[in-house]
Amino acid sequence: MLPTRSSRVGPIPPAALPPRVTGPNGSALGLMAGGGVTIVGHLVGVGGYPEVGLALLALATLAVGAGTTVPGALACAAQAWGMYSGFWLHGLGELRLDRPSVTGLVVLVVLGVSASALALLVRAVAEALARRGEGGTVFGPDGGYRLSPWLRAPGPAGPGG
């Protein structure tokens, strides 16, 4: 069921929108995804190709970023950059801020934050459509805009709340 104020189920099936992962948990997922991609990449023999590493880490960052909050996506991107700079570009975990490393950092941060923001937008639109399907609107019964529970903690609806 969508996390709306009513108990009726909207037209979006419950499994279509899994809950977003919190920032610290997104950070942990990012560390596991980045580490896993790096280990597997080196085991299959593509550890000497930084472009492949950036592409694999970008996919991991997109996947984790889409399921977590913006702070979680930032943490995931930072950890993926650490894997990229430390193990794909430079050996033995050396982190450097040279040109290829900074390019990788920018790519990973932009992708992670964009994925998180796009997922947030999709959730807001899906929630608005579900409310419309229930006969309601994006606006609360008193005319005040009701922020999505995905954007803030649940509380009273209205301009001040």
Side-chain angles (χ1 to χ4, degrees):
M1 179 175 5
L2 289 173
T4 60
R5 300 225 185 261
S6 74
S7 60
R8 290 179 282 163
V9 176
I12 310 278
L17 296 173
R20 288 174 67 88
V21 177
T22 63
N25 291 334
S27 174
L29 282 174
L31 182 61
M32 289 189 300
V37 163
T38 300
I39 290 169
V40 170
H42 280 77
L43 286 176
V44 298
V46 295
Y49 301 96
E51 300 82 11
V52 174
L54 183 59
L56 293 174
L57 288 167
L59 289 174
T61 302
L62 278 170
V64 173
T68 188
T69 61
V70 172
L74 276 171
C76 172
Q79 292 169 354
W81 169 78
M83 298 292 173
Y84 176 65
S85 180
F87 298 107
W88 292 91
L89 283 177
H90 312 110
L92 304 175
E94 290 181 17
L95 298 180
R96 296 185 197 162
L97 283 175
D98 53 4
R99 188 174 183 89
S101 183
V102 170
T103 302
L105 176 63
V106 169
V107 166
L108 293 170
V109 167
V110 166
L111 288 176
V113 171
S114 297
S116 183
L118 184 62
L120 187 64
L121 179 65
V122 166
R123 288 174 184 281
V125 168
E127 186 178 277
L129 291 175
R131 261 194 231 119
R132 184 176 294 168
E134 294 175 352
T137 65
V138 178
F139 298 97
D142 59 353
Y145 182 72
R146 184 185 304 173
L147 285 175
S148 167
W150 300 107
L151 297 173
R152 65 166 175 81

